[in-house]
Amino acid sequence: MPVDRCEYVAHVPLHPEFLLNKLAFARARGLPLFGVDEAESKSSSREAKFDFYLFPSRCVRVQVVKEPGQPLARLTVTATPSRVLDGHNGHVLSQDAFHDFGAILMHYLTPLVSEPSSVPDLFPGLRSGGPTRWTYLELLLHVRDVGGMVFQKLRHASHTDIRVPSRCWDGESIELGRDKGNIQFSIYYKAPQMRKKGGHLAGVSHEFDDILRLEVRLRGPALAKYLEIGPNVEEWTTTTCELVRGKFIEKTEVEKRLVRFTCEDLFRALRKLFGELRGVWPSDMVLEDPKSLEEMGRFLASEACLSGRSLQELRSLMKTYLGKNWDNTGRILKAAQAELERQGLRFEELFAESTFQFQPGVSVPSVECGVKYGPEHIGVPWEITQAYTPVDQGFRPHVTFPPYFDCHHEIATA
Amino acid sequence: MKSPQHNRGGPTVRLCSLVISTKVRSAAEFRLSDTEFDRPRGTGLVGHPARKTSLKAEREPSGKKTGKMVVRMKSTFHLIEYGAIVVTTRRNESDDWIETIKLDPALALHRNSSHLLHDGDLARARALLKKLCSPMVADAADVCHLVPSACPKHREPVASIRSIDCELWYPSIELAHLHSLRHPEAGSSRGRKQNYARLVPEVTEAGDGVGAAVGSKPPVPRSSGCSICLERVSRRSDGLNLKVSGLKICLELKDDALTRRVRCQPGTMAKVRDKMRVVHLELEDVQRVCREVVSELEGFYLPVPPEWSANPGTSKLARMIALIAATTERTPDEVVMNASAGRQVCRRTARRLEKAVREEMNLLKKLPLAEALNIPASEVVDTSRCNQPLATAIDPQVAAVCGPGTTSH
């Protein structure tokens, strides 16, 4: 399952004892609670508003908001599945490992729920028509980029839905899109990024330095837009009452919510999103501009490659200095983009089926062996397996085991 | 009247906040119930405090885990207004200790964060802080440890100024015209946005310089205690019917970075917790330190030539080449050669292009950044005072502490 950090929202009734004394409740039930942040509030209108963290690395954060008089509390769960299972996020998870992640989360969150009937609402997709839904997903693909060719070409990328120019940290990472936007692309070398964090990850081996992570962060409506396949998206109708000119008017809004997905859906979304990038892949763009503009565009494209600046950066520069007087900005840039696309990467090669199946990962054995709350003694609920497995998936023999499994197995045999 | 924060020879410097580091035991009643405690004493507590509880494995001095968990609790209280005086306490087994106090003098005194400070305002803010926080302290004798430099000579000082946060305002400079930004301590502006640039430390390969060598330390980002952000500001001032745009430099200096720069001033340093630390700062010191940091900024300022704005020109290509050559590491000859290579032009046309590029290059005037940022005070427009009805009225709480005749000017 090529997913990194993810976030979902659930509405469940919380145990009153937990709301009263979180630490004592967690201690009594053996929950791996490792932090509670009670936010400062300007008004006391909320009955409870706090965040709590699970596991020693605090890799699962649950934000709780409970309004007075409401039976259900709103839980916003933010977690990185690979950090829960391996202690770091250098691996690409398998489908089964994602099921394990769901099982672990359910296992430790279930004691917090006061009514057993609400337990399926703790994870999205387990109850059809339920209120729980995904709100943020990071999809990823790892590729080997020996020589940095893929990274250099992706520097000039742009996307039709993203207005802000890309940001680039030389030779390290590229970011396209706003931090809080619905779509954001992030392309970076995973191993150096992990080493920068320091601590246990400072010792990541240099043999993984050429692993390039192509990541897309989806939020809000973009989730439903790119992952709306089969039963993945459910429609949620909200009816509100508004007072307009002294009369109450009912207002009905239909929202599309992502409630489940499969590996194949995520791969398909990744292909679609990266396929929409401009200035990277060869396209059949036909230029109808005069030859001089085409030449200027070609010159700009070649300068973008030679000067170490992205086309977006050069565009900003031209806009700042030549401003209104540079009437043909759009057409010149289009020509430059066409030139870059002509020399671009081969999409079908980079996003081939085999690339998805055999993705390299960053391994840190010292961290993976230290994972304390693994999935060994937790059974995966059948609802999770059903929701996050393709309906028509045939028999898949186990050819690789997840790293945490190997690690624990080795310890046991030793 | 010109504000003392108007630098006599440069930009407006605004002290946003300063953080005081101390260690004073807080009152037991306050620990039990902060809101009940506040009611009769009038500490000016705002809203509900934020509490952070973290659990960590207890370790022996050798580093081995004991199997027990240590619970640590950190609470944050806001006094007068959100962000005006922020007191942070930490629970240590049985007691709560006041560890840091963040003071925004302008917000505390004038209820307006963008109000410029005047002579004596910092002293008034310190007095206000001391008055409001003293009921929180368990032992009345420890009140002197709330404010640095307030400690009597016979007692060992505990409080010091850990960091300062300032803003410098340049009304006539565009962020987009600043290039190759770098500061020896803060780093470079890689990955900058259109309207915002943060100087980030560069990763250095520690050890023997060969990062991958066995036994060498892994690369770590340099953390110098000096943080610089540059922001494009565009503000509409309704009172003056004027749109002001410019550059704001946000500067944070802490720990050693602050100590190093303040050290040369007499009366500002003292030995606190076995180390020389900053204990006293006046507005003039803050201005001097900020000016010093900004003067160390490397890079260049390249404004749009007036000829370019006035005259669209005939040779767009020449301007593009001149611009690329001026802002990247490529030489004009290299760029011209690249432009000619793809066009199959005759020698005469190439010579004409070279000449045009030379002319355009002459119009582009590069200025060192330190020089460009040293704008005379006469050009400074004080936008923060454009629409501030509160600016002239001193807060009643301040008046109560500093006397009824006090004014903000």
Side-chain angles (χ1 to χ4, degrees):
Chain A
M1 201 71 92
V3 83
D4 195 24
R5 195 156 69 88
C6 50
E7 185 188 277
Y8 68 85
V9 172
H11 287 81
V12 288
L14 280 184
H15 209 292
E17 281 177 33
F18 176 67
L19 292 174
L20 277 177
N21 192 340
K22 289 133 206 142
L23 291 186
F25 183 88
R27 211 172 290 145
R29 284 162 178 81
L31 298 181
L33 186 73
F34 279 82
V36 180
D37 289 358
E38 279 167 284
E40 59 203 37
S41 61
K42 291 182 183 179
S43 66
S44 55
S45 64
R46 281 186 178 129
E47 193 180 319
K49 187 175 185 251
F50 59 92
D51 299 357
F52 67 90
Y53 299 87
L54 297 178
F55 308 117
S57 57
R58 293 161 68 112
C59 55
V60 175
R61 186 181 74 170
V62 184
Q63 288 175 289
V64 181
V65 177
K66 191 172 184 300
E67 304 290 344
Q70 296 286 329
L72 304 180
R74 182 191 150 105
L75 265 58
T76 308
V77 183
T78 313
T80 309
S82 45
R83 282 188 71 200
V84 173
L85 297 166
D86 304 337
H88 65 87
N89 66 345
H91 285 125
V92 180
L93 288 187
S94 67
Q95 185 177 278
D96 294 341
F98 187 79
H99 295 168
D100 287 342
F101 157 73
I104 292 174
L105 220 55
M106 290 281 287
H107 178 80
Y108 290 116
L109 290 178
T110 302
L112 306 180
V113 180
S114 62
E115 283 175 33
S117 61
S118 295
V119 170
D121 288 338
L122 278 173
F123 201 73
L126 307 195
R127 191 161 68 85
S128 189
T132 314
R133 82 274 189 186
W134 293 100
T135 50
Y136 176 79
L137 281 180
E138 288 181 0
L139 318 184
L140 62 101
L141 173 72
H142 278 184
V143 290
R144 287 257 179 213
D145 183 25
V146 184
M149 172 67 99
V150 178
F151 184 87
Q152 285 305 325
K153 297 280 180 189
L154 284 165
R155 265 195 85 150
H156 310 292
S158 62
H159 191 273
T160 41
D161 288 350
I162 298 171
R163 295 277 175 87
V164 290
S166 61
R167 299 167 72 197
C168 187
W169 288 260
D170 293 330
E172 283 175 27
S173 65
I174 304 162
E175 217 167 73
L176 180 61
R178 288 183 197 281
D179 290 344
K180 296 284 174 192
N182 288 333
I183 306 171
Q184 189 188 33
F185 291 84
S186 182
I187 295 139
Y188 56 96
Y189 290 98
K190 188 63 197 163
Q193 185 254 2
M194 285 168 78
R195 263 200 299 274
K196 251 193 207 178
K197 286 183 180 171
H200 295 297
L201 297 174
V204 173
S205 167
H206 285 271
E207 67 177 289
F208 305 113
D209 279 3
D210 59 353
I211 295 179
L212 185 69
R213 178 176 278 204
L214 311 178
E215 191 174 288
V216 192
R217 296 155 189 175
L218 295 178
R219 198 189 298 274
L223 282 169
K225 183 183 170 187
Y226 288 96
L227 289 159
E228 191 177 0
I229 302 152
N232 288 358
V233 172
E234 287 178 358
E235 284 191 350
W236 185 266
T237 313
T238 326
T239 310
T240 49
C241 220
E242 274 183 24
L243 188 66
V244 181
R245 290 177 195 165
K247 285 182 182 176
F248 280 103
I249 295 174
E250 266 192 13
K251 207 176 170 187
T252 309
E253 277 178 19
V254 180
E255 186 195 347
K256 283 186 174 179
R257 291 175 166 188
L258 180 75
V259 291
R260 59 181 77 81
F261 48 79
T262 63
C263 257
E264 277 70 15
D265 301 335
L266 299 183
F267 291 149
R268 217 170 289 144
L270 258 171
R271 277 180 70 94
K272 194 175 175 195
L273 281 153
F274 273 93
E276 285 173 357
L277 287 183
R278 297 278 161 261
V280 187
W281 328 111
S283 70
D284 46 5
M285 190 195 286
V286 181
L287 292 172
E288 292 162 0
D289 290 326
K291 204 181 163 212
S292 63
L293 290 185
E294 200 182 314
E295 279 172 352
M296 238 183 241
R298 204 176 300 147
F299 159 69
L300 209 59
S302 108
E303 273 309 315
C305 296
L306 291 167
S307 67
R309 288 199 167 196
S310 71
L311 185 63
Q312 312 293 322
E313 285 173 311
L314 285 185
R315 180 195 170 169
S316 299
L317 191 71
M318 300 299 160
K319 229 173 150 182
T320 307
Y321 284 89
L322 304 177
K324 288 171 198 166
N325 303 330
W326 205 42
D327 348 289
N328 298 314
T329 318
R331 283 192 283 172
I332 292 173
L333 282 164
K334 209 171 169 187
Q337 201 172 291
E339 177 62 20
L340 286 170
E341 283 174 2
R342 203 178 57 77
Q343 312 162 356
L345 295 164
R346 304 182 105 189
F347 183 80
E348 288 306 325
E349 222 169 76
L350 196 66
F351 287 87
E353 185 65 31
S354 57
T355 319
F356 285 113
Q357 276 182 13
F358 307 106
Q359 294 187 52
V362 181
S363 188
V364 195
S366 59
V367 175
E368 284 151 25
C369 290
V371 176
K372 209 175 161 188
Y373 299 90
E376 293 82 25
H377 312 293
I378 301 166
V380 179
W382 66 269
E383 296 99 324
I384 292 184
T385 320
Q386 197 186 37
Y388 294 90
T389 311
V391 182
D392 53 351
Q393 185 180 296
F395 171 69
R396 273 193 179 178
H398 265 304
V399 286
T400 52
F401 289 99
Y404 56 86
F405 183 88
D406 291 345
C407 177
H408 286 279
H409 179 69
E410 275 166 25
I411 291 167
T413 49
Chain B
M1 177 187 156
K2 188 155 271 188
S3 155
Q5 277 201 346
H6 273 134
N7 185 339
R8 269 97 191 167
T12 311
V13 181
R14 197 173 76 76
L15 174 65
C16 301
S17 67
L18 53 91
V19 177
I20 297 163
S21 170
T22 183
K23 190 150 190 181
V24 185
R25 187 182 283 112
S26 73
E29 305 98 299
F30 182 66
R31 183 193 162 175
L32 290 172
S33 172
D34 39 65
T35 40
E36 289 296 314
F37 178 83
D38 174 56
R39 223 165 277 155
R41 290 168 181 86
T43 51
L45 211 63
V46 187
H48 293 269
R51 289 212 165 83
K52 284 189 177 188
T53 313
S54 64
L55 289 94
K56 282 194 175 169
E58 193 184 57
R59 286 175 189 268
E60 289 172 0
S62 61
K64 200 181 166 188
K65 287 180 185 172
T66 58
K68 284 183 186 173
M69 299 299 283
V70 184
V71 181
R72 287 177 190 160
M73 191 193 263
K74 200 172 125 183
S75 308
T76 312
F77 304 89
H78 293 256
L79 308 182
I80 305 175
E81 203 160 306
Y82 273 91
I85 298 176
V86 187
V87 182
T88 309
T89 64
R90 196 180 288 272
R91 186 160 298 177
N92 185 0
E93 292 174 4
S94 55
D95 297 319
D96 274 13
W97 296 81
I98 296 173
E99 288 201 339
T100 54
I101 303 169
K102 189 178 175 190
L103 170 70
D104 180 340
L107 192 59
L109 293 177
H110 307 285
R111 303 281 174 111
N112 185 344
S113 204
S114 56
H115 198 290
L116 291 180
L117 296 176
H118 302 266
D119 287 332
D121 273 0
L122 210 50
R124 274 195 287 272
R126 281 194 290 252
L128 183 64
L129 183 154
K130 197 173 170 183
K131 183 177 182 267
L132 295 177
C133 293
S134 49
M136 294 181 186
V137 180
D139 186 357
D142 284 344
V143 171
C144 62
H145 294 315
L146 287 173
V147 177
S149 75
C151 184
K153 281 189 178 166
H154 63 275
R155 295 196 67 180
E156 200 180 322
V158 175
S160 62
I161 297 173
R162 190 207 279 172
S163 70
I164 57 167
D165 201 348
C166 305
E167 273 177 15
L168 288 91
W169 171 257
Y170 298 90
S172 53
I173 289 186
E174 279 286 329
L175 177 62
H177 297 164
L178 306 183
H179 302 275
S180 311
L181 283 168
R182 209 186 152 274
H183 188 271
E185 283 182 46
S188 61
S189 67
R190 297 178 310 149
R192 67 188 260 186
K193 292 181 183 177
Q194 271 178 321
N195 295 333
Y196 180 82
R198 174 184 280 274
L199 302 193
V200 286
E202 288 140 15
V203 173
T204 51
E205 298 278 339
D208 55 2
V210 186
V214 178
S216 68
K217 285 183 184 171
V220 282
R222 268 186 299 159
S223 172
S224 61
C226 174
S227 151
I228 301 175
C229 296
L230 296 99
E231 202 178 317
R232 182 180 177 269
V233 186
S234 180
R235 203 180 289 174
R236 189 162 191 90
S237 169
D238 297 330
L240 296 175
N241 197 17
L242 169 82
K243 193 179 177 188
V244 190
S245 68
L247 176 76
K248 189 171 84 176
I249 300 183
C250 304
L251 192 68
E252 196 202 6
L253 284 171
K254 61 180 176 186
D255 301 330
D256 289 347
L258 178 66
T259 314
R260 257 199 316 275
R261 291 176 192 279
V262 175
R263 192 180 284 273
C264 52
Q265 292 297 307
T268 52
M269 308 284 293
K271 200 169 185 181
V272 183
R273 283 168 274 142
D274 300 330
K275 205 176 167 188
M276 288 303 279
R277 293 175 202 266
V278 181
V279 290
H280 186 81
L281 275 181
E282 285 300 331
L283 286 177
E284 280 184 4
D285 300 322
V286 174
Q287 278 174 9
R288 187 186 54 79
V289 166
C290 290
R291 241 179 299 158
E292 194 182 300
V293 174
V294 169
S295 70
E296 288 166 4
L297 272 172
E298 293 165 15
F300 60 91
Y301 173 60
L302 185 71
V304 181
E307 292 84 354
W308 284 21
S309 320
N311 176 18
T314 46
S315 177
K316 284 170 200 147
L317 186 62
R319 283 188 183 174
M320 275 166 71
I321 292 171
L323 202 52
I324 290 170
T327 55
T328 63
E329 285 171 5
R330 310 227 330 128
T331 62
D333 290 344
E334 281 173 341
V335 189
V336 170
M337 207 182 287
N338 185 29
S340 310
R343 299 197 323 150
Q344 305 286 324
V345 290
C346 65
R347 197 182 285 174
R348 199 176 153 199
T349 316
R351 269 207 301 271
R352 218 162 41 207
L353 180 66
E354 271 174 37
K355 193 185 164 200
V357 170
R358 267 201 303 274
E359 280 169 10
E360 299 297 346
M361 285 291 285
N362 288 337
L363 296 177
L364 289 168
K365 302 273 184 243
K366 272 190 192 183
L367 267 177
L369 203 56
E371 200 179 305
L373 295 179
N374 196 16
I375 297 165
S378 55
E379 285 182 28
V380 173
V381 179
D382 181 5
T383 52
S384 64
R385 298 176 69 182
C386 295
N387 45 1
Q388 292 176 6
L390 283 170
T392 50
I394 195 110
D395 191 78
Q397 274 182 312
V398 184
V401 175
C402 309
T406 320
T407 62
S408 63
H409 294 287

